[in-house]
Amino acid sequence: MVELGVGTGRIAIPVALAGAHVIGIDSSAGMLAVCAQRAREAGVEERLELRLGDLRRPPVDERVPLVTCPFRSFLHLRDDTERLEALGAACELLRPGGRLVFDVFTPSRDDIEETHGRWIEREPGIDERADWDVTAQTLTLSVRGPQGASTMTLWWVEPERWHSLLAEAGFEVLATYGWFDRRPFAGGEDSVWVVSRK
Ligand SMILES: C[S@@+](CC[C@H](N)C(=O)[O-])C[C@H]1O[C@@H](n2cnc3c(N)ncnc32)[C@H](O)[C@@H]1O
């Protein structure tokens, strides 16, 4: 299987520990370095193959039965052109009948009103601030803690938009869940998508 945006291996390492062979793609050499170290510590470096690259053009020639993109990594894509590039590339990686599984979020009005422009302690000593732009549909997320500070921007779209992008990229939607426990999607902020190559 392939995980797009593998990060530090939070998901990929337990998946490799469960016996799967994972090709992990990430555009950050720093994230991959942490992931490689953790994979060694967990004893799964043989089953977790890390490749530096962009998820819109993943450096993968293999064809696999499963592609995942967990923890909202598709929200790093800034417009429909980039979303379609990424979805099209994921579709190419799949064997016929293979599946793409990913999660994204669409903020609620309440969430935006409660958090906009405020520093909130998310974990002891680690503060997070969300600056929402509802017109541009962007979230600028800032984090500060004892090890430093960082800011990144995420771009969201509504579930209906994901539906049409998926259809355009050649996918059939098998299920849309509202969370990882497979509760049905009921219009909440989070959506988990299971789609197959048509
Ligand atoms: C929210 S993290 C998710 C990490 C991991 N999947 C997890 O669940 O813990 C998003 C990851 O996507 C990576 N990323 C962002 N844009 C990317 C791109 N265009 N191509 C490849 N990786 C990208 C980031 O470097 C980061 O490691």
Side-chain angles (χ1 to χ4, degrees):
M1 64 164 285
V2 170
E3 181 179 333
L4 301 171
V6 69
T8 58
R10 183 183 66 96
I11 303 291
I13 289 170
V15 170
L17 277 170
H21 181 270
V22 183
I23 300 170
I25 307 301
D26 207 285
S27 56
S28 161
M31 295 296 255
L32 290 182
V34 175
C35 188
Q37 174 65 28
R38 290 188 178 173
R40 275 193 296 278
E41 285 164 10
V44 293
E45 67 270 41
E46 301 281 301
R47 286 202 296 281
L48 178 49
E49 201 181 319
L50 300 175
R51 299 183 192 172
L52 183 66
D54 195 303
L55 58 80
R56 291 169 295 164
R57 293 173 290 279
V60 180
D61 293 326
E62 297 89 336
R63 293 299 171 260
V64 294
L66 177 65
V67 175
T68 62
C69 189
F71 203 11
R72 306 164 170 176
S73 301
F74 280 158
L75 298 190
H76 289 283
L77 303 167
R78 54 184 70 212
D79 57 26
D80 282 355
T81 304
E82 293 196 358
R83 289 178 200 111
L84 279 172
E85 273 184 294
L87 292 175
C91 198
E92 283 284 302
L93 296 181
L94 289 171
R95 294 179 192 157
R99 291 180 177 192
L100 165 68
V101 181
F102 67 97
D103 64 298
V104 286
F105 89 111
T106 307
S108 68
R109 186 185 295 250
D110 285 353
D111 190 11
I112 292 173
E113 281 172 8
E114 271 168 34
T115 60
H116 181 65
R118 293 177 49 220
W119 284 103
I120 297 170
E121 189 174 47
R122 288 287 179 203
E123 286 176 40
I126 299 182
D127 299 332
E128 185 184 278
R129 172 182 159 142
D131 289 282
W132 305 92
D133 182 333
V134 291
T135 308
Q137 301 204 154
T138 61
L139 162 60
T140 302
L141 203 56
S142 305
V143 181
R144 65 184 184 196
Q147 291 175 315
S150 187
T151 297
M152 67 176 172
T153 300
L154 299 173
W155 288 258
W156 79 83
V157 292
E158 286 74 20
E160 297 72 31
R161 188 78 207 128
W162 282 110
H163 261 291
S164 48
L165 289 166
L166 285 162
E168 199 174 334
F171 285 109
E172 177 189 357
V173 176
L174 301 177
T176 313
Y177 300 109
W179 193 242
F180 301 95
D181 56 8
R182 301 189 191 196
R183 72 186 66 169
F185 177 67
E189 295 194 299
D190 291 283
S191 53
V192 182
W193 299 74
V194 181
V195 305
S196 77
R197 191 179 166 164
K198 273 185 205 156

